[in-house]
Amino acid sequence: MAVPVAASCVCVRLDKMFVLVFLCVCLIAKLCVSSEMVVTGAEKTCDALYRDGVQAYLEERWQDCIDNLEHALSSYRLLKQTTVNCRLTCHAAADETSPMGPKSVDDLQFFEKMIRKTLCLLKCNKHNPKDGLHGLPKSVLKEFEDLKPYEYLQLCYYQKNLLQKAASAVFTYLVNNPDNKVMQENLKFYSELPEVDMSEVVNFEARNYVSLYIHGAEAYQHEDYKSVISYIEESLEDYLRAEDECRAYCEGPFDQGWFPDFVSSIANHFTYCLKCKRRCPDKLNSLNGEKHQDLLASHYHFLQYAYYKVGNLRKACEAVASYLMFYPADETMMNNKEYYFKLPKVEKDFFTPREEAVEYVQRQEYELRLLDFIENEFSFKDGSENAIDINETESHM
């Protein structure tokens, strides 16, 4: 009888990435630096810090460039996190509140929940620093979302001989923008410098689950299965938290560009948010620049084998069933399930998928069906004002 098959080891190839030390002139021209915001010291807004950093770059004041852009990035992360925290907190608070009526009449319970969330958000956002993300111009917000500050920072670091940080700034940008040819050449340039250790190049914007997952994969290679379980369980928890935060961030404002009636406006904004949320897995499925479409599911692959090796068969079977929620026809995992099922201590009810896997897959399937319905059904050639314009609901987030 064959033994169960473990998860494939994930190899992260930093040395395969690329870079040349210059910024395109078009990048310099693209961002117009204005003096409309004159704020000093600790009172500087994220926007002002960014503009001052770019101005310092243009004037070749390299240390000022570094100081301002690093502070701008730190300020942006704080603004984004507080906004996301408010949304998640208010979602949870509204869900835990008992409705005013015993049953939903005319969808009143749904709208009651929306009203409660709105009130909570109004109170929460009042305490956010500098009006939260709403205080940033859309153009600047887009620059941060695209990690443009790192394009400037890499050259400023280079000019101050901070070569390791310069390489990491380039790498950080490339994780989010892998097709940028200039930055590919830049990383190649840095990789050939004797002062740069490519094994020490990091993604400044990486979430905790990335390093936890990599540590788990390394522990698996060393057959340290207790550590595999510890790292991969924590990585799984942080990955799901990161996706929840990404989805919450998608619930931002939306300029519809027209004046729909009540129902259409709700459906239009919902579609905008839903499309943004469906892009979250693609944003998260990267391990230092390498895309892994099965990253979430692969946590359960590692866990099923690690739990088996430490003798926890129930947990191993739960992980098998959880993996099969994502890939029900996976031949390797089906063989593993058959192997486990033949073990004397294993019972049929051991193969119960974990709750978070069930909820995740059910939500994913429902959302995909709903998006497919929207794409196919809401296409009107007559320009009906009640139609949802699919192109208008595309999000840049």
Side-chain angles (χ1 to χ4, degrees):
M1 181 168 59
V3 298
V5 179
S8 300
C9 190
V10 176
C11 298
V12 183
R13 299 188 299 274
L14 289 176
D15 58 330
K16 298 293 184 182
M17 307 288 291
F18 357 113
V19 172
L20 183 139
V21 186
F22 72 92
L23 274 173
C24 289
V25 175
C26 60
L27 174 64
I28 302 174
K30 189 173 178 184
L31 191 106
C32 236
V33 181
S34 71
S35 58
E36 60 190 66
M37 289 179 118
V38 182
V39 194
T40 59
E43 295 180 357
K44 278 189 179 181
T45 64
C46 179
D47 183 25
L49 286 165
Y50 182 47
R51 292 177 184 278
D52 287 351
V54 176
Q55 186 64 47
Y57 166 84
L58 295 172
E59 296 174 358
E60 300 184 1
R61 292 183 285 110
W62 308 120
Q63 190 58 52
D64 288 342
C65 167
I66 292 170
D67 292 342
N68 280 288
L69 291 181
E70 285 185 344
H71 289 149
L73 283 163
S74 178
S75 177
Y76 169 73
R77 292 189 201 103
L78 176 61
L79 293 176
K80 183 174 181 178
Q81 192 62 52
T82 52
T83 297
V84 165
N85 288 347
C86 277
R87 291 174 186 170
L88 291 175
T89 299
C90 292
H91 278 309
D95 288 341
E96 293 170 1
T97 303
S98 300
M100 297 177 184
K103 64 176 182 178
S104 185
V105 179
D106 289 339
D107 298 319
L108 286 177
Q109 287 189 354
F110 168 79
F111 289 109
E112 179 193 341
K113 183 178 289 188
M114 293 301 104
I115 290 170
R116 290 185 183 277
K117 287 181 182 178
T118 300
L119 179 60
C120 176
L121 287 169
L122 288 172
K123 293 178 178 178
C124 186
N125 287 326
K126 279 183 65 176
H127 303 290
N128 281 356
K130 298 180 176 60
D131 298 323
L133 290 175
H134 299 303
L136 293 180
K138 288 183 179 179
S139 59
V140 173
L141 186 60
K142 181 69 162 59
E143 298 278 309
F144 278 100
E145 283 301 298
D146 293 340
L147 302 185
K148 297 292 275 187
Y150 287 105
E151 281 197 301
Y152 295 100
L153 268 175
Q154 66 93 12
L155 185 55
C156 296
Y157 285 141
Y158 173 78
Q159 294 291 345
K160 296 296 291 183
N161 204 35
L162 301 171
L163 302 180
Q164 195 71 43
K165 293 186 77 172
S168 290
V170 171
F171 180 63
T172 300
Y173 181 83
L174 279 171
V175 168
N176 199 55
N177 306 275
D179 297 326
N180 187 291
K181 300 300 182 184
V182 172
M183 298 298 271
Q184 288 176 4
E185 288 300 317
N186 283 359
L187 190 54
K188 184 175 185 295
F189 170 84
Y190 287 122
S191 70
E192 294 170 353
L193 295 178
E195 300 91 341
V196 175
D197 182 354
M198 291 304 290
S199 68
E200 296 297 321
V201 170
V202 298
N203 174 10
F204 290 133
E205 298 292 329
R207 287 283 307 223
N208 288 337
Y209 69 83
V210 173
S211 60
L212 289 166
Y213 187 94
I214 293 172
H215 285 317
E218 291 172 347
Y220 163 76
Q221 287 183 311
H222 293 97
E223 300 183 1
D224 181 3
Y225 297 110
K226 288 185 178 179
S227 293
V228 171
I229 292 170
S230 177
Y231 281 126
I232 297 299
E233 286 283 14
E234 191 174 352
S235 172
L236 176 60
E237 182 179 348
D238 191 70
Y239 179 98
L240 294 173
R241 185 186 304 113
E243 183 157 351
D244 284 343
E245 291 180 359
C246 177
R247 290 170 65 87
Y249 186 61
C250 286
E251 297 178 358
F254 171 51
D255 182 4
Q256 304 207 26
W258 55 305
F259 301 99
D261 59 23
F262 173 62
V263 174
S264 297
S265 65
I266 295 174
N268 208 25
H269 202 157
F270 170 77
T271 302
Y272 167 85
C273 294
L274 182 59
K275 286 192 167 190
C276 176
K277 291 178 179 182
R278 291 309 314 150
R279 286 190 283 272
C280 286
D282 187 59
K283 291 181 179 181
L284 299 174
N285 288 341
S286 174
L287 293 177
N288 288 338
E290 292 188 1
K291 288 288 186 179
H292 299 271
Q293 295 304 319
D294 65 340
L295 182 59
L296 175 56
S298 69
H299 284 76
Y300 297 109
H301 211 327
F302 274 114
L303 289 173
Q304 63 88 18
Y305 192 73
Y307 278 124
Y308 165 74
K309 295 298 287 186
V310 300
N312 193 332
L313 295 178
R314 179 181 285 275
K315 288 284 191 179
C317 294
E318 287 177 355
V320 167
S322 298
Y323 185 90
L324 289 172
M325 288 288 297
F326 294 86
Y327 302 107
D330 185 85
E331 185 176 352
T332 297
M333 198 58 72
M334 290 295 291
N335 289 337
N336 285 0
K337 181 178 180 180
E338 182 180 353
Y339 171 83
Y340 290 134
F341 192 65
K342 292 178 179 178
L343 297 177
K345 296 181 180 180
V346 172
E347 300 177 10
K348 186 177 181 180
D349 66 351
F350 282 17
F351 294 98
T352 301
R354 292 163 50 147
E355 183 179 357
E356 80 275 357
V358 174
E359 292 178 353
Y360 186 96
V361 172
Q362 288 179 344
R363 182 186 68 192
Q364 177 176 259
E365 291 176 347
Y366 199 157
E367 288 180 346
L368 290 175
R369 285 197 299 268
L370 188 53
L371 277 176
D372 185 63
F373 176 79
I374 292 170
E375 294 283 358
N376 291 323
E377 299 298 329
F378 285 84
S379 299
F380 297 92
K381 295 182 180 179
D382 61 2
S384 168
E385 66 176 0
N386 292 322
I388 292 180
D389 187 340
I390 297 301
N391 293 323
E392 288 297 322
T393 59
E394 289 294 333
S395 167
H396 65 265
M397 287 199 260

